[in-house]
Amino acid sequence: MTARSQQSDQRPEAPSNALNKDGPVTYKTIIEPFRIHSVEPMRMNSEAERRAALEVAGFNLFALRADDVLIDLLTDSGTGAMSRDQWAAIQHGDESYAGSPSWFRFLAAVQDLFPFDHVIPTHQGRAAEKILFSVIGGTGKIIPNNTHFDTTRANVEATGATALDLVIEEGHDPTSLYPFKGNMDLERLEALLFEHHEQVPVVFVTVTNNSGGGQPVSLENLRGIRAVCDRYDKPLFLDGCRFAENAWFIKEREVGNADRQVRDIVREMASLADGMTMSAKKDGLANIGGWLAMGDAELAQRCREVLILTEGFPTYGGLAGRDLEAIAQGLSEVVDHDYLRYRIESTAYLGEALVASGIPVVRPIGGHAVYIDARALLTHIDPLAYPGQSLAVALYEAGGIRSCEIGSVMFGLQPDGTEVPAALELVRLAIPRRTYTQSHIDYVIEVCQDVASRAQRLPGYRITESPRALRHFTARFAPISSTN
Ligand code: F0G
């Protein structure tokens, strides 16, 4: 633990899935704060069918047909259920090329939470990243972040810049119960800016820290980062994908915030930043969309010029008017306290059940996902034989659950073509918003318990085909047999 992180954030431990006595529900069963209005069938399949599907997919779960998946926990991105009111808003979609009323509703909804003067709509988060980094990145530049998500890192590196992760030490320790494990190490940030001031065009903070276990960043840490940025005259940008979940954790865990409205906490987070990138596929509660926002008019102008080349006119970005409407409505729903309480507690329900079964997971439980520590569970598999991949494949084969490796497959390949083990070997069970019920999650718990009971017999994997960047999406794998 660094000296600075020791001083910060008043509570030593995050609460477990404790009953919120101030909430409207005073019994411990988590009830979804919605009724089901429209249903989608799931196709049940057998283990033999799943084994065959794995062979065809080269043991890459991204290559499966989604119809062959029972419970899809690959991502929480764009996979949530929209509300009745979002579907109704879609009917108001106005598809005018320029100046659509849907654009103005979207703009008002974004600026209500994030009052940046310039909002640039994009088709999803990585488009916002691509535009921003193509303008301010470039060879020799360094972009610090608590932890870059894979697309953010790839977009930084694609410009020739270096993506640097400066999360606090607790963020690397899956067992630490520190309540804000997404915080940035302020001393390392200060040292970076002191030494390489000229090379850093922007400081990024990802809320919540997805690649580090969905862990939140405290307001106190954001204020500290702001102060360092001010000393070196650097802009601070949020990667805001899961801003509402982060704000809920602040309300729950950071002293002085318990009685605040989440929307006010979000506005305070925004007030500490100079801009943001956003994927509306997460806390926009939409199936597609994103934005880039900032206060700096000149930078916004340069970004809009790229936007017009690659995404579209500045009042629609890459989106249809109906998408802008769905996001505007989603932003009003995502800061609802009943929704967020259910969201965070239901994710913790899965995580705590795995903990109780002796399965090593990243703790405290993150906001949008539970991360199994595959290195701790599959100790017999070398990091470069991909223990996370092995576990993810086994969860699918056994129970039709699709998860996502976040380890050496995703992060092991370096820009120079060499391979080094990632800091953590995780398997992420990401929970789509408002989509699965508690019985689905009980099934997931049962499958995890079964696979964990025979984890030591699972094989390692080798990569048989791989692209040069973002290899986890398209690489093919083969199990390493014990006779190899
Ligand atoms: N930043 C973070 C922290 C993300 O989690 C993601 C996407 C992005 C940026 C990019 O947004 O997908 O709209 O282009 N994360 C998804 C995930 C894909 O599964 O965690 P996008």
Side-chain angles (χ1 to χ4, degrees):
M1 186 182 266
T2 61
R4 195 172 292 260
S5 63
Q6 239 164 6
Q7 294 161 10
S8 60
D9 309 316
Q10 297 85 336
R11 273 205 230 167
E13 287 195 358
S16 64
N17 184 20
L19 192 63
N20 186 332
K21 298 276 188 246
D22 302 326
V25 178
T26 50
Y27 295 94
K28 71 177 185 327
T29 304
I30 301 161
I31 59 167
E32 291 81 4
F34 47 79
R35 289 181 298 214
I36 293 166
H37 174 67
S38 168
V39 297
E40 271 180 86
M42 280 173 15
R43 197 172 71 79
M44 302 293 178
N45 56 15
S46 68
E47 196 165 332
E49 286 173 304
R50 293 194 289 269
R51 211 168 292 131
L54 278 170
E55 295 277 350
V56 174
F59 296 90
N60 186 334
L61 303 186
F62 282 100
L64 291 171
R65 300 172 70 112
D67 274 356
D68 291 333
V69 176
L70 285 182
I71 308 273
D72 204 346
L73 307 183
L74 181 67
T75 178
D76 64 320
S77 180
T79 52
M82 288 207 295
S83 68
R84 172 194 65 189
D85 293 344
Q86 283 179 292
W87 285 110
I90 279 176
Q91 290 297 326
H92 292 274
D94 179 300
E95 306 303 341
S96 302
Y97 189 90
S100 152
S102 300
W103 153 251
F104 289 105
R105 273 191 286 274
F106 168 87
L107 180 63
V110 172
Q111 288 182 331
D112 181 45
L113 293 170
F114 303 98
F116 298 116
D117 286 346
H118 304 280
V119 178
I120 296 171
T122 58
H123 79 274
Q124 62 184 89
R126 69 198 68 183
E129 294 162 4
K130 164 93 179 147
I131 291 170
L132 180 67
F133 295 129
S134 69
V135 172
I136 63 171
T139 310
K141 299 279 173 60
I142 305 170
I143 319 275
N145 203 328
N146 43 358
T147 313
H148 289 271
F149 185 64
D150 59 351
T151 60
T152 325
R153 171 173 289 278
N155 272 306
V156 167
E157 289 173 352
T159 72
T162 302
L164 191 66
D165 294 339
L166 296 179
V167 74
I168 57 170
E169 275 169 43
E170 294 86 334
H172 294 299
D173 175 3
T175 62
S176 161
L177 291 178
Y178 190 68
F180 291 102
K181 285 167 73 173
N183 281 357
M184 190 178 264
D185 186 325
L186 300 181
E187 283 166 15
R188 290 180 67 204
L189 177 65
E190 178 107 40
L192 172 77
L193 289 172
F194 183 76
E195 277 172 46
H196 301 284
H197 174 259
E198 298 299 327
Q199 289 164 265
V200 178
V202 66
V203 174
F204 250 81
V205 183
T206 304
V207 292
T208 56
N209 190 24
N210 184 11
S211 303
Q215 303 292 321
V217 178
S218 70
L219 277 175
E220 183 179 11
N221 189 250
L222 283 174
R223 287 188 206 109
I225 300 166
R226 173 79 264 164
V228 177
C229 288
D230 285 346
R231 276 201 286 287
Y232 293 88
D233 196 21
K234 295 293 172 192
L236 168 59
F237 269 55
L238 299 176
D239 175 338
C241 291
R242 300 175 181 86
F243 69 86
E245 293 171 8
N246 197 91
W248 181 262
F249 281 123
I250 289 172
K251 179 176 166 64
E252 291 270 281
R253 297 181 184 172
E254 194 166 355
V255 170
N257 289 280
D259 297 328
R260 296 181 73 187
Q261 290 294 313
V262 162
R263 62 175 71 241
D264 291 332
I265 298 174
V266 172
R267 286 183 192 123
E268 183 171 352
M269 289 161 59
S271 75
L272 294 165
D274 299 290
M276 69 187 297
T277 55
M278 175 70 191
S279 168
K281 302 172 75 171
K282 285 82 169 175
D283 277 352
L285 297 181
N287 300 127
I288 196 72
W291 68 82
L292 170 62
M294 64 200 73
D296 181 338
E298 200 241 304
L299 177 62
Q301 188 49 35
R302 290 165 67 200
C303 290
R304 279 199 195 96
E305 285 163 16
V306 183
L307 178 89
I308 293 177
L309 284 181
T310 59
E311 290 280 293
F313 190 72
T315 64
Y316 74 85
L319 296 167
R322 57 179 170 272
D323 301 324
L324 296 167
E325 294 278 357
I327 297 167
Q329 176 61 28
L331 289 174
S332 75
E333 296 176 11
V334 78
V335 291
D336 177 75
H337 290 193
D338 289 343
Y339 161 72
L340 282 168
R341 184 178 297 112
Y342 141 79
R343 171 75 176 154
I344 301 300
E345 288 189 1
S346 59
T347 304
Y349 172 83
L350 169 59
E352 298 297 347
L354 299 189
V355 172
S357 314
I359 298 171
V361 301
V362 175
R363 297 179 72 197
I365 306 304
H368 66 294
V370 175
Y371 296 68
I372 303 178
D373 182 351
R375 186 174 290 167
L377 188 62
L378 284 72
T379 47
H380 61 297
I381 298 181
D382 184 76
L384 293 182
Y386 314 124
Q389 187 66 19
S390 174
L391 179 61
V393 167
L395 290 172
Y396 173 71
E397 186 173 342
I401 297 165
R402 177 154 68 169
S403 57
C404 183
E405 192 261 15
I406 301 197
S408 293
V409 175
M410 190 179 273
F411 291 119
L413 186 62
Q414 305 304 298
D416 65 4
T418 58
E419 210 182 359
V420 293
L424 298 170
E425 302 294 338
L426 303 176
V427 169
R428 186 183 72 170
L429 306 171
I431 321 285
R433 293 169 179 77
R434 307 187 292 202
T435 303
Y436 292 113
T437 64
Q438 190 166 327
S439 66
H440 289 122
I441 297 301
D442 286 336
Y443 170 83
V444 172
I445 294 165
E446 198 182 331
V447 174
C448 289
Q449 288 166 338
D450 170 40
V451 171
S453 71
R454 49 194 171 80
Q456 290 290 323
R457 298 200 296 279
L458 297 176
Y461 281 78
R462 62 191 169 84
I463 291 179
T464 57
E465 272 178 53
S466 173
R468 271 194 297 271
L470 294 175
R471 65 177 178 176
H472 52 288
F473 289 129
T474 54
R476 292 179 68 83
F477 301 84
I480 303 170
S481 75
S482 50
T483 51
N484 273 0

